[in-house]
Amino acid sequence: MTLGRFAPSPTGVLHLGNLRTALASWLSARKAGGRWLIRMEDVDGPRCRRDLGEAQLRDLAVLGLESDGPVLWQSGRSAAYREALAALQRADRLYPCLCTRKDLQLLASAPHLEDGLRPYPGRCRDRAWEGFDRALRLRLPPGEVAWQDLLLGAQVDDPGALTGDPLLFRRDGCFAYHLAVVVDDGAQGVTEVVRGVDLRSVTATQVRLQEALGLPRPAYAHLGLVAAPDGGRLGKRAGALGLGSLASQGIPVLELVGWLGWSLGCQDRSEPCTAADLIAAFDWARVPKGEVRVPGAWS
Ligand code: GLU
């Protein structure tokens, strides 16, 4: 049975791009007659806040998107992450990384690969094991990873060239994004990962980590981003495009859902509707592959 999930980081307000991803993952799971979970990815230290996560859950509920099971908060999952690290160490796949804090910051949190971010060059790759109180990286095997993206079709990436050996544990004691996401998708039995195309470039790395942990590979769909009306990046404006500020501009929730549904190819025009109204028409073959632009009146 299909099990989809939406996995936001509770570091701010969910903007239109996040809401679109949430709706697409929910629609895909519902269309398949499957289940859908929300997971709070709050492993990224002080930037993650419980109250922001609770507010995100309220916004999702307003759209009609509620988790079919308990919401998993990653901050409570340390034992599972530690166990996964131990398994990787037994298989001789981990090495300590003593690179500078600056290197670690670049690669640690949810890695929307920004300009200037380089794959880890493997400087510490041959270091001998020194225990679990070091920053730890996964030794990637050479070679490319191929997958069939539900939206983008056949994809091939070389994880070594994109991220290099991923950081799994940080010197400050935090578990890194790649480890948490892969362990939890496996533990929850997620079969379908729908997320923004800004995370497409980490998929091959996460597949390698799944393989190293003996976990099954979910299906992936990487959605185009939501852009400004002129096609530029939303950037700072994204923050103003949350449910609360759209509501205060007088935009009814059903209008927003209708627009999101239109942007996902479920309706020909942006007509107000509920999320449930969109299920029957949802079809990955009709979802636009590229970016969508926010209506000028909203931004
Ligand atoms: N928590 C990540 C984010 O906020 C998404 C992780 C995922 O969907 O794999 O972008």
Side-chain angles (χ1 to χ4, degrees):
M1 193 209 269
T2 298
L3 178 61
R5 53 79 160 170
F6 177 59
S9 303
T11 55
V13 170
L14 293 177
H15 57 67
L16 274 180
N18 306 130
L19 298 175
R20 184 169 182 264
T21 300
L23 180 62
S25 63
W26 184 86
L27 286 171
S28 184
R30 283 287 179 270
K31 182 68 188 281
R35 297 173 63 238
W36 183 79
L37 297 174
I38 301 174
R39 183 171 73 224
M40 281 294 160
E41 304 216 313
D42 57 342
V43 280
D44 190 13
R47 287 189 338 120
C48 295
R49 282 180 19 204
R50 188 91 190 180
D51 58 325
L52 292 172
E54 305 282 1
Q56 293 183 345
L57 294 174
R58 281 195 297 277
D59 281 357
L60 292 167
V62 168
L63 297 189
L65 311 182
E66 285 180 279
S67 186
D68 289 327
V71 174
L72 190 72
W73 293 74
Q74 289 188 325
S75 51
R77 297 275 299 152
S78 299
Y81 305 147
R82 232 174 262 121
E83 212 173 281
L85 287 177
L88 293 169
Q89 197 273 326
R90 284 194 299 275
D92 195 26
R93 296 294 301 274
L94 294 183
Y95 63 86
C97 177
L98 306 188
C99 292
T100 65
R101 174 167 282 274
K102 194 166 167 241
D103 295 333
L104 294 183
Q105 278 169 349
L106 285 173
L107 287 156
S109 51
H112 305 274
L113 295 183
E114 298 288 354
D115 296 343
L117 185 58
R118 300 275 177 272
Y120 178 67
R123 241 188 333 228
C124 294
R125 208 164 207 242
D126 297 322
R127 294 193 80 88
W129 180 252
E130 295 173 22
F132 286 99
D133 55 348
R134 298 278 186 275
L136 300 172
R137 289 186 187 276
L138 176 74
R139 208 176 278 113
L140 286 177
E144 293 179 326
V145 172
W147 78 94
Q148 191 67 26
D149 196 283
L150 293 172
L151 181 62
L152 303 175
Q155 305 289 300
V156 183
D157 273 340
D158 176 359
L162 287 172
T163 65
D165 292 345
L167 189 74
L168 300 186
F169 185 67
R170 283 158 44 174
R171 202 170 19 183
D172 63 6
C174 289
F175 300 96
Y177 159 74
H178 291 300
L179 181 73
V181 96
V182 167
V183 167
D184 285 340
D185 281 340
Q188 294 188 287
V190 168
T191 66
E192 198 173 276
V193 171
V194 178
R195 57 189 181 186
V197 74
D198 51 341
L199 289 170
R200 199 202 73 97
S201 55
V202 302
T203 298
T205 302
Q206 294 181 358
V207 165
R208 287 295 188 227
L209 181 53
Q210 283 153 12
E211 291 168 355
L213 288 168
L215 295 170
R217 188 192 300 193
Y220 286 96
H222 291 95
L223 278 180
L225 300 184
V226 175
D230 60 6
R233 286 189 60 151
L234 274 184
K236 289 207 176 69
R237 278 177 288 178
L241 289 169
L243 202 63
S245 52
L246 290 171
S248 67
Q249 290 175 50
I251 296 156
V253 171
L254 297 189
E255 191 175 320
L256 173 63
V257 174
W259 180 80
L260 292 170
W262 166 80
S263 83
L264 291 168
C266 299
Q267 25 181 27
D268 297 335
R269 279 176 306 147
S270 177
E271 301 282 358
C273 65
T274 67
D277 292 336
L278 298 165
I279 297 171
F282 181 82
D283 181 353
W284 281 112
R286 294 176 56 186
V287 178
K289 289 190 173 58
E291 66 178 30
V292 293
R293 296 182 184 189
V294 176
W298 292 3
S299 55

